[in-house]
Amino acid sequence: MNLFTFCFIRKNITRPFEDQTSLEFFSKKTDCSLFLFGSHNKKRPNNLVFGRMFDFHVLDMIELGIEKFVSLSDIKSPKCAEGTKPLLIFAGEAFDTDSEYKRLRSVFIDFFRGQTVPAVRLAGLEHVLHFTALEGKIYLRSYKVLLKKSGCRTPRIELEEIGPSFDFVLRRTHLASDDLSKTAHKLPKALKPKKKKNISHDTFGTKLGRLHMQKQNLAKLKTRKMKGLRKRRGETIQGEEEDSAKKAKVE
C-alpha cells in the first residue's frame, strides 16, 4: 500500500465524513490506497483521520484527536536510521475485543509496517512502535532498541524513547462491512506463491527435496574395484574347471 499526501494552495472545504469525493479523486490520481487527513477547528481540535482505500473508494476511516504530542526534537537521544522497519507492539484488551479497535489496529499496521521483507537480522530490530489502548485512549510511543552485554549469547534488551509520542482519543469512525473488508484483504491469485512439489522444510528451516527415480538393478551396479578383491589368474582357471565338472555330473 502507498500513502499519498497533498497540500491545497487555496482554501478548500474538505470533510471526509460528509463528502469523500475529493479523497477518492486524489487516490485515483496518485494511485495510492492510504491517506492521512489533518484538520483543526473549535469543535474538533488537533484532528487526524487515518484512512485506506479499496478500488479507489473509501474503505475505512478512523478519526483520532491529539491530546498530547511530543516531537522528535523535544527528546534528546540518538535516533534510528531513516527507513528502518519498525517492530509493532499492541497492548490493551480493547485491541482484541472491541471491533473499532480491531480495525484501528489493522489500519495502524498498514501505515507503519514498512516494506515487506523475507527476513530481518537481529541487529536490524532497532525501532519499536508501541500502541497502548487504556481507558478510552490510545498511547503511541516510539523506542530505540539497545542491545547490551548480558554475559551470555543472548543480549540484554533495553528500550530508549526517541519520540515522537502521541496521546490519541478515538472520535468518529467509518468502517466497511465485514464482507467488503474480507474482499479487500483477499490476495489475488497472481500474487499467491506457487507451491513447489517435493520440497519441504523441517523444524529448523532446512530445505529438503524428494527425488523420484526408476527401479535400479543392483546386480549391474558398478562399484570401485580394489586390488585386494581381484581373483588371481590361477584361482580363476581352477574355479572354471570346478564349474564345468559340476555341470558334467548333473548331465
Side-chain angles (χ1 to χ4, degrees):
M1 290 188 175
N2 298 323
L3 173 66
F4 74 86
T5 58
F6 55 88
C7 179
F8 291 117
I9 299 176
R10 299 179 181 178
K11 290 184 178 181
N12 291 269
I13 300 175
T14 303
R15 298 185 179 93
F17 286 89
E18 284 78 18
D19 185 13
Q20 303 159 4
T21 306
S22 61
L23 296 175
E24 294 174 352
F25 168 76
F26 281 102
S27 172
K28 191 171 184 179
K29 184 178 180 180
T30 57
D31 192 21
C32 292
S33 55
L34 296 175
F35 70 90
L36 178 61
F37 180 81
S39 62
H40 177 76
N41 52 52
K42 291 183 179 179
K43 189 176 182 181
R44 296 183 181 88
N46 306 320
N47 209 44
L48 288 179
V49 178
F50 291 82
R52 54 186 176 183
M53 301 284 190
F54 173 64
D55 197 18
F56 305 115
H57 295 285
V58 174
L59 181 67
D60 295 319
M61 283 193 304
I62 299 179
E63 187 179 63
L64 300 176
I66 303 175
E67 292 191 342
K68 185 180 179 182
F69 169 70
V70 180
S71 65
L72 279 166
S73 57
D74 293 335
I75 300 177
K76 308 298 181 182
S77 61
K79 313 300 181 184
C80 297
E82 184 178 354
T84 303
K85 187 176 179 65
L87 178 65
L88 306 181
I89 301 176
F90 293 88
E93 186 180 355
F95 284 125
D96 297 322
T97 57
D98 191 277
S99 59
E100 291 184 345
Y101 279 83
K102 285 182 180 179
R103 197 66 61 86
L104 177 61
R105 178 179 60 184
S106 178
V107 171
F108 278 153
I109 291 174
D110 284 343
F111 265 84
F112 299 108
R113 66 182 178 182
Q115 297 181 353
T116 303
V117 295
V120 180
R121 62 190 181 94
L122 179 60
L125 296 175
E126 58 177 347
H127 188 203
V128 173
L129 289 178
H130 195 280
F131 302 87
T132 305
L134 182 65
E135 298 178 354
K137 294 184 180 181
I138 301 99
Y139 301 93
L140 168 58
R141 299 293 184 268
S142 178
Y143 300 98
K144 183 177 181 180
V145 178
L146 303 177
L147 302 179
K148 302 288 187 178
K149 293 182 179 180
S150 60
C152 58
R153 189 172 183 180
T154 305
R156 180 170 55 88
I157 298 175
E158 293 184 1
L159 298 179
E160 181 181 10
E161 188 173 359
I162 60 175
S165 65
F166 294 88
D167 290 355
F168 292 118
V169 59
L170 186 63
R171 289 176 179 170
R172 295 180 293 177
T173 59
H174 172 84
L175 306 179
S177 62
D178 293 338
D179 295 336
L180 181 59
S181 180
K182 186 178 180 180
T183 304
H185 286 82
K186 189 176 181 180
L187 190 66
K189 291 183 179 180
L191 298 178
K192 289 183 178 180
K194 295 182 179 179
K195 187 177 180 180
K196 297 182 179 180
K197 295 182 179 179
N198 303 322
I199 294 179
S200 60
H201 296 80
D202 60 9
T203 55
F204 300 100
T206 305
K207 191 175 182 180
L208 305 176
R210 180 181 296 177
L211 298 178
H212 297 275
M213 301 178 64
Q214 296 179 355
K215 187 176 181 180
Q216 292 180 322
N217 187 359
L218 300 180
K220 297 182 179 180
L221 184 64
K222 294 182 179 180
T223 59
R224 185 179 178 184
K225 296 182 180 179
M226 300 178 63
K227 292 182 178 180
L229 299 178
R230 291 181 182 176
K231 294 181 178 181
R232 296 180 182 179
R233 188 174 181 180
E235 293 178 356
T236 305
I237 297 173
Q238 185 179 358
E240 291 177 355
E241 291 177 353
E242 291 177 356
D243 292 339
S244 59
K246 288 180 181 179
K247 290 180 180 179
K249 289 181 180 180
V250 171
E251 292 175 353

Short mmCIF file of all heavy atoms in Angstrom, two decimals, residues 164-199:
data_model
loop_
_atom_site.label_atom_id
_atom_site.label_comp_id
_atom_site.label_asym_id
_atom_site.label_seq_id
_atom_site.Cartn_x
_atom_site.Cartn_y
_atom_site.Cartn_z
N PRO A 164 8.54 10.45 17.97
CA PRO A 164 7.55 11.27 18.66
C PRO A 164 6.58 10.39 19.47
O PRO A 164 6.54 9.18 19.30
CB PRO A 164 6.82 11.96 17.51
CG PRO A 164 6.93 10.99 16.38
CD PRO A 164 8.25 10.31 16.53
N SER A 165 5.81 11.05 20.34
CA SER A 165 4.81 10.34 21.13
C SER A 165 3.47 11.07 21.03
O SER A 165 3.43 12.30 20.94
CB SER A 165 5.25 10.24 22.59
OG SER A 165 5.31 11.53 23.19
N PHE A 166 2.40 10.29 21.00
CA PHE A 166 1.05 10.84 20.87
C PHE A 166 0.14 10.24 21.93
O PHE A 166 0.27 9.06 22.28
CB PHE A 166 0.46 10.51 19.49
CG PHE A 166 1.16 11.16 18.33
CD1 PHE A 166 2.25 10.53 17.73
CD2 PHE A 166 0.73 12.37 17.81
CE1 PHE A 166 2.89 11.11 16.64
CE2 PHE A 166 1.36 12.96 16.73
CZ PHE A 166 2.44 12.33 16.15
N ASP A 167 -0.78 11.06 22.40
CA ASP A 167 -1.90 10.59 23.20
C ASP A 167 -3.15 10.85 22.39
O ASP A 167 -3.57 12.02 22.21
CB ASP A 167 -1.97 11.32 24.54
CG ASP A 167 -0.83 10.94 25.48
OD1 ASP A 167 -0.04 10.05 25.11
OD2 ASP A 167 -0.72 11.55 26.56
N PHE A 168 -3.77 9.79 21.86
CA PHE A 168 -4.95 9.92 21.00
C PHE A 168 -6.21 9.62 21.78
O PHE A 168 -6.20 8.86 22.75
CB PHE A 168 -4.87 8.94 19.81
CG PHE A 168 -3.79 9.25 18.81
CD1 PHE A 168 -2.78 8.33 18.58
CD2 PHE A 168 -3.80 10.44 18.09
CE1 PHE A 168 -1.79 8.59 17.65
CE2 PHE A 168 -2.80 10.70 17.16
CZ PHE A 168 -1.80 9.77 16.94
N VAL A 169 -7.31 10.19 21.28
CA VAL A 169 -8.63 9.82 21.75
C VAL A 169 -9.46 9.49 20.51
O VAL A 169 -9.40 10.19 19.50
CB VAL A 169 -9.28 10.95 22.58
CG1 VAL A 169 -9.41 12.23 21.77
CG2 VAL A 169 -10.64 10.51 23.11
N LEU A 170 -10.21 8.41 20.58
CA LEU A 170 -10.99 7.95 19.44
C LEU A 170 -12.25 8.81 19.28
O LEU A 170 -13.00 9.00 20.23
CB LEU A 170 -11.37 6.48 19.62
CG LEU A 170 -12.08 5.79 18.46
CD1 LEU A 170 -11.19 5.77 17.22
CD2 LEU A 170 -12.47 4.37 18.84
N ARG A 171 -12.46 9.30 18.07
CA ARG A 171 -13.63 10.14 17.78
C ARG A 171 -14.57 9.41 16.82
O ARG A 171 -15.17 8.42 17.18
CB ARG A 171 -13.17 11.50 17.24
CG ARG A 171 -12.52 12.38 18.32
CD ARG A 171 -11.98 13.68 17.76
NE ARG A 171 -11.38 14.49 18.85
CZ ARG A 171 -10.66 15.59 18.65
NH1 ARG A 171 -10.43 16.04 17.41
NH2 ARG A 171 -10.16 16.25 19.67
N ARG A 172 -14.67 9.85 15.59
CA ARG A 172 -15.61 9.25 14.65
C ARG A 172 -14.95 8.11 13.86
O ARG A 172 -13.73 8.09 13.70
CB ARG A 172 -16.15 10.30 13.68
CG ARG A 172 -17.00 11.37 14.34
CD ARG A 172 -17.50 12.38 13.32
NE ARG A 172 -16.40 13.17 12.76
CZ ARG A 172 -16.55 14.08 11.80
NH1 ARG A 172 -17.76 14.30 11.29
NH2 ARG A 172 -15.52 14.76 11.36
N THR A 173 -15.79 7.20 13.37
CA THR A 173 -15.29 6.09 12.57
C THR A 173 -16.22 5.85 11.37
O THR A 173 -17.43 6.11 11.44
CB THR A 173 -15.20 4.79 13.38
OG1 THR A 173 -16.50 4.46 13.89
CG2 THR A 173 -14.23 4.93 14.53
N HIS A 174 -15.64 5.40 10.30
CA HIS A 174 -16.39 4.97 9.11
C HIS A 174 -15.76 3.65 8.67
O HIS A 174 -14.69 3.63 8.05
CB HIS A 174 -16.29 6.02 7.99
CG HIS A 174 -16.87 5.56 6.68
ND1 HIS A 174 -18.22 5.65 6.38
CD2 HIS A 174 -16.28 4.99 5.59
CE1 HIS A 174 -18.43 5.15 5.17
NE2 HIS A 174 -17.27 4.75 4.67
N LEU A 175 -16.41 2.53 9.02
CA LEU A 175 -15.84 1.22 8.82
C LEU A 175 -16.61 0.45 7.76
O LEU A 175 -17.85 0.54 7.69
CB LEU A 175 -15.82 0.42 10.13
CG LEU A 175 -15.13 1.10 11.32
CD1 LEU A 175 -15.22 0.20 12.56
CD2 LEU A 175 -13.70 1.43 11.01
N ALA A 176 -15.89 -0.29 6.96
CA ALA A 176 -16.53 -1.12 5.93
C ALA A 176 -17.16 -2.34 6.58
O ALA A 176 -16.82 -2.74 7.70
CB ALA A 176 -15.49 -1.54 4.89
N SER A 177 -18.09 -2.96 5.86
CA SER A 177 -18.73 -4.17 6.36
C SER A 177 -17.71 -5.32 6.38
O SER A 177 -16.66 -5.27 5.74
CB SER A 177 -19.92 -4.54 5.46
OG SER A 177 -19.48 -4.81 4.14
N ASP A 178 -18.05 -6.35 7.12
CA ASP A 178 -17.13 -7.49 7.23
C ASP A 178 -16.90 -8.17 5.88
O ASP A 178 -15.78 -8.60 5.57
CB ASP A 178 -17.68 -8.51 8.24
CG ASP A 178 -17.70 -7.95 9.66
OD1 ASP A 178 -16.93 -7.00 9.92
OD2 ASP A 178 -18.47 -8.45 10.49
N ASP A 179 -17.96 -8.26 5.06
CA ASP A 179 -17.82 -8.90 3.75
C ASP A 179 -16.92 -8.08 2.82
O ASP A 179 -16.07 -8.62 2.12
CB ASP A 179 -19.19 -9.09 3.10
CG ASP A 179 -20.06 -10.06 3.88
OD1 ASP A 179 -19.49 -10.90 4.61
OD2 ASP A 179 -21.30 -9.98 3.77
N LEU A 180 -17.12 -6.76 2.82
CA LEU A 180 -16.28 -5.89 1.98
C LEU A 180 -14.84 -5.88 2.46
O LEU A 180 -13.90 -5.89 1.66
CB LEU A 180 -16.85 -4.47 1.97
CG LEU A 180 -16.09 -3.45 1.10
CD1 LEU A 180 -16.06 -3.91 -0.35
CD2 LEU A 180 -16.74 -2.07 1.21
N SER A 181 -14.65 -5.88 3.77
CA SER A 181 -13.30 -5.91 4.31
C SER A 181 -12.60 -7.22 3.96
O SER A 181 -11.41 -7.23 3.64
CB SER A 181 -13.34 -5.74 5.84
OG SER A 181 -12.05 -5.77 6.38
N LYS A 182 -13.35 -8.33 3.98
CA LYS A 182 -12.77 -9.61 3.61
C LYS A 182 -12.39 -9.64 2.14
O LYS A 182 -11.34 -10.17 1.76
CB LYS A 182 -13.78 -10.73 3.93
CG LYS A 182 -13.23 -12.12 3.73
CD LYS A 182 -14.26 -13.18 4.11
CE LYS A 182 -13.71 -14.59 3.91
NZ LYS A 182 -14.72 -15.62 4.29
N THR A 183 -13.22 -9.03 1.30
CA THR A 183 -12.91 -8.96 -0.13
C THR A 183 -11.69 -8.10 -0.39
O THR A 183 -10.85 -8.42 -1.24
CB THR A 183 -14.12 -8.40 -0.91
OG1 THR A 183 -15.28 -9.20 -0.64
CG2 THR A 183 -13.86 -8.39 -2.40
N ALA A 184 -11.57 -6.99 0.34
CA ALA A 184 -10.43 -6.08 0.14
C ALA A 184 -9.11 -6.72 0.57
O ALA A 184 -8.06 -6.41 -0.01
CB ALA A 184 -10.67 -4.79 0.92
N HIS A 185 -9.16 -7.59 1.57
CA HIS A 185 -7.94 -8.22 2.07
C HIS A 185 -7.61 -9.53 1.34
O HIS A 185 -6.58 -10.15 1.64
CB HIS A 185 -8.06 -8.52 3.56
CG HIS A 185 -7.96 -7.30 4.42
ND1 HIS A 185 -9.03 -6.45 4.64
CD2 HIS A 185 -6.92 -6.76 5.09
CE1 HIS A 185 -8.65 -5.47 5.42
NE2 HIS A 185 -7.38 -5.62 5.72
N LYS A 186 -8.45 -9.91 0.39
CA LYS A 186 -8.20 -11.15 -0.34
C LYS A 186 -7.02 -10.98 -1.28
O LYS A 186 -6.93 -10.01 -2.02
CB LYS A 186 -9.45 -11.54 -1.13
CG LYS A 186 -9.37 -12.91 -1.76
CD LYS A 186 -10.67 -13.28 -2.45
CE LYS A 186 -10.61 -14.67 -3.07
NZ LYS A 186 -11.89 -15.03 -3.74
N LEU A 187 -6.10 -11.93 -1.23
CA LEU A 187 -4.90 -11.87 -2.05
C LEU A 187 -5.20 -12.36 -3.46
O LEU A 187 -5.78 -13.44 -3.63
CB LEU A 187 -3.79 -12.72 -1.43
CG LEU A 187 -2.38 -12.60 -2.02
CD1 LEU A 187 -1.83 -11.21 -1.76
CD2 LEU A 187 -1.46 -13.64 -1.44
N PRO A 188 -4.86 -11.58 -4.50
CA PRO A 188 -5.11 -12.04 -5.87
C PRO A 188 -4.35 -13.32 -6.19
O PRO A 188 -3.31 -13.61 -5.61
CB PRO A 188 -4.61 -10.86 -6.73
CG PRO A 188 -4.57 -9.69 -5.81
CD PRO A 188 -4.29 -10.23 -4.45
N LYS A 189 -4.89 -14.09 -7.13
CA LYS A 189 -4.26 -15.36 -7.49
C LYS A 189 -2.87 -15.16 -8.07
O LYS A 189 -1.98 -15.99 -7.89
CB LYS A 189 -5.13 -16.10 -8.50
CG LYS A 189 -6.44 -16.61 -7.91
CD LYS A 189 -7.22 -17.41 -8.94
CE LYS A 189 -8.52 -17.94 -8.35
NZ LYS A 189 -9.30 -18.72 -9.35
N ALA A 190 -2.68 -14.04 -8.79
CA ALA A 190 -1.38 -13.79 -9.41
C ALA A 190 -0.28 -13.57 -8.37
O ALA A 190 0.90 -13.81 -8.64
CB ALA A 190 -1.47 -12.59 -10.34
N LEU A 191 -0.66 -13.11 -7.15
CA LEU A 191 0.32 -12.83 -6.11
C LEU A 191 0.53 -14.00 -5.15
O LEU A 191 1.45 -13.96 -4.33
CB LEU A 191 -0.09 -11.58 -5.31
CG LEU A 191 -0.18 -10.28 -6.11
CD1 LEU A 191 -0.64 -9.14 -5.20
CD2 LEU A 191 1.14 -9.93 -6.76
N LYS A 192 -0.31 -15.01 -5.26
CA LYS A 192 -0.16 -16.15 -4.36
C LYS A 192 1.07 -16.96 -4.76
O LYS A 192 1.27 -17.25 -5.94
CB LYS A 192 -1.40 -17.03 -4.41
CG LYS A 192 -2.63 -16.41 -3.76
CD LYS A 192 -3.80 -17.36 -3.78
CE LYS A 192 -5.01 -16.75 -3.09
NZ LYS A 192 -6.18 -17.67 -3.09
N PRO A 193 1.91 -17.29 -3.82
CA PRO A 193 3.10 -18.09 -4.16
C PRO A 193 2.72 -19.49 -4.61
O PRO A 193 1.87 -20.16 -3.99
CB PRO A 193 3.90 -18.12 -2.85
CG PRO A 193 2.88 -17.89 -1.78
CD PRO A 193 1.83 -16.99 -2.39
N LYS A 194 3.32 -19.95 -5.69
CA LYS A 194 3.05 -21.28 -6.20
C LYS A 194 3.75 -22.33 -5.34
O LYS A 194 4.91 -22.19 -5.01
CB LYS A 194 3.51 -21.40 -7.65
CG LYS A 194 2.73 -20.51 -8.61
CD LYS A 194 3.20 -20.71 -10.04
CE LYS A 194 2.40 -19.83 -11.00
NZ LYS A 194 2.85 -20.00 -12.40
N LYS A 195 3.00 -23.37 -5.01
CA LYS A 195 3.54 -24.43 -4.19
C LYS A 195 4.46 -25.32 -5.03
O LYS A 195 4.08 -25.79 -6.09
CB LYS A 195 2.42 -25.26 -3.59
CG LYS A 195 2.89 -26.29 -2.58
CD LYS A 195 1.72 -27.04 -1.98
CE LYS A 195 2.20 -28.06 -0.96
NZ LYS A 195 1.05 -28.80 -0.36
N LYS A 196 5.67 -25.51 -4.58
CA LYS A 196 6.63 -26.34 -5.29
C LYS A 196 6.51 -27.78 -4.80
O LYS A 196 6.51 -28.05 -3.60
CB LYS A 196 8.05 -25.82 -5.07
CG LYS A 196 8.27 -24.42 -5.62
CD LYS A 196 9.71 -23.97 -5.43
CE LYS A 196 9.93 -22.57 -6.01
NZ LYS A 196 11.33 -22.12 -5.81
N LYS A 197 6.43 -28.70 -5.77
CA LYS A 197 6.26 -30.11 -5.43
C LYS A 197 7.56 -30.70 -4.90
O LYS A 197 8.66 -30.29 -5.29
CB LYS A 197 5.81 -30.88 -6.66
CG LYS A 197 4.42 -30.49 -7.17
CD LYS A 197 4.03 -31.35 -8.36
CE LYS A 197 2.63 -30.97 -8.85
NZ LYS A 197 2.24 -31.80 -10.02
N ASN A 198 7.39 -31.67 -4.01
CA ASN A 198 8.51 -32.48 -3.48
C ASN A 198 9.55 -31.64 -2.73
O ASN A 198 10.71 -32.01 -2.67
CB ASN A 198 9.19 -33.26 -4.61
CG ASN A 198 8.21 -34.15 -5.35
OD1 ASN A 198 7.33 -34.75 -4.74
ND2 ASN A 198 8.36 -34.23 -6.66
N ILE A 199 9.15 -30.48 -2.21
CA ILE A 199 10.05 -29.64 -1.42
C ILE A 199 9.38 -29.36 -0.08
O ILE A 199 8.22 -28.95 -0.02
CB ILE A 199 10.38 -28.32 -2.15
CG1 ILE A 199 11.18 -28.61 -3.42
CG2 ILE A 199 11.15 -27.38 -1.23
CD1 ILE A 199 11.53 -27.37 -4.21
#
